[in-house]
Amino acid sequence: MGRFGKAIKAVKDQTSIRLAKHGHKASLADLDVAILKATSHDENPPDEHLMVEILTLTTDSPLYVASCVNTISRRLSKTRNWIVALKTLMLVQRLLHDGGPAYEQEVFFATRRGTRLLNMSDFRDALKSSTWDYAAFVRAYALFLDEQLEYKMEGKKGIREFSQDLEQHEFMIQGRKGKHGSRSHDLDQQIEFEMQGRIGRHGSCSYVQEGGELTLSAAVTVPVREMTMDQLFARVNHLMQLLDRFLACRPAGGARIQRLVLLALYPVLIQSFQLYKDIVEIMGVLKDKFEMDDLNISHSVKVYGIFRRVSKQYEELDMFYYWCKTASNAKNAEYPEVDKISQKDLDAMDERVKEKSGVTN
């Protein structure tokens, strides 16, 4: 980016900040200003102090959480700059991680109302040709965050319950509106240092109605080995979808060595370790049921199809992890050893399915 372009973007940031300061009462203005500063056009990652300030300003205040999400949504809907979009998504990820159930609920329902939050599938950078790889990472990163949030929020709830919750939440939103109107070794170390302590994993959640407000509560997760086949298939399908979203986050072109991209990728990469372990656990249960002949032909065919799909995913995952290690991103992290599914095992499962269905060669 040339000096003139940087100057224009700096002016845009300052103008947005001045407008925000005069657009709300003091506390809400402070919140908007903090968000705008955290998602500025420069290539530095969102400032940690600003992240903490945003979380502090929205603590124990559903109205402020909603205002924060609305400001973030407007920021994403207006920007055509990949840096602003990526930094905003990095802020969203931090809020989802440290902001608790209130942010999860607000972001989840806002996205499903059609608001521009984690639905970035049509995002394009204004420069287009020279920034294609960066914009592609933004789209993939947003899709992963969206899939991850949906998986977490789904818990034991069905699609019909989700729809009912969405209607309730929309009703509350309307009521709320009516009331309130080539990298160096030093860079590798800095990336890992800056991201330490920001990684975590939430359990599954469900909704409860308290005083007319829809809130989240922890849900008791059914152990994998006690799940029905329908539950197992639903869980593994969602996990496979989430793994696909993660694999799509592998940066390409110039994005592979861009510091901001690597900072955004780091927590996603670390979270993938647990994702892989979850898949291994459920695949072990499916394999045991398949080998013990506990399944009817329909279920056997489904399990075989799942193993074929996961086999391909494991190949891609192994290559992704290898790239991350060679690129020195999270080089000191404890990568899981990907236990790939051999073609021999797939062939044996295929033969078992044919035998059960009475098909002969």
Side-chain angles (χ1 to χ4, degrees), residues 73-130:
S73 177
R74 289 196 304 271
R75 189 71 162 155
L76 286 173
S77 65
K78 291 180 180 179
T79 187
R80 297 185 63 201
N81 181 275
W82 74 266
I83 296 173
V84 173
L86 182 54
K87 290 170 74 170
T88 305
L89 290 173
M90 292 170 73
L91 172 59
V92 171
Q93 185 175 39
R94 179 64 180 277
L95 295 175
L96 289 173
H97 177 268
D98 291 340
Y103 270 108
E104 294 165 359
Q105 175 180 315
E106 197 71 38
V107 172
F108 179 81
F109 286 122
T111 300
R112 277 139 192 84
R113 287 197 306 270
T115 304
R116 182 58 165 272
L117 253 170
L118 298 179
N119 180 16
M120 301 286 291
S121 58
D122 62 343
F123 174 77
R124 299 291 185 275
D125 187 88
L127 297 179
K128 295 182 180 177
S129 59
S130 62

Side-chain angles (χ1 to χ4, degrees), residues 148-172:
Q148 185 182 53
L149 180 60
E150 182 172 335
Y151 175 68
K152 178 182 175 181
M153 297 285 282
E154 185 181 61
K156 295 186 293 183
K157 297 177 72 65
I159 299 300
R160 181 175 300 175
E161 290 174 280
F162 264 138
S163 177
Q164 292 170 349
D165 287 347
L166 180 55
E167 291 176 4
Q168 284 181 291
H169 189 265
E170 184 66 30
F171 175 78
M172 289 186 295

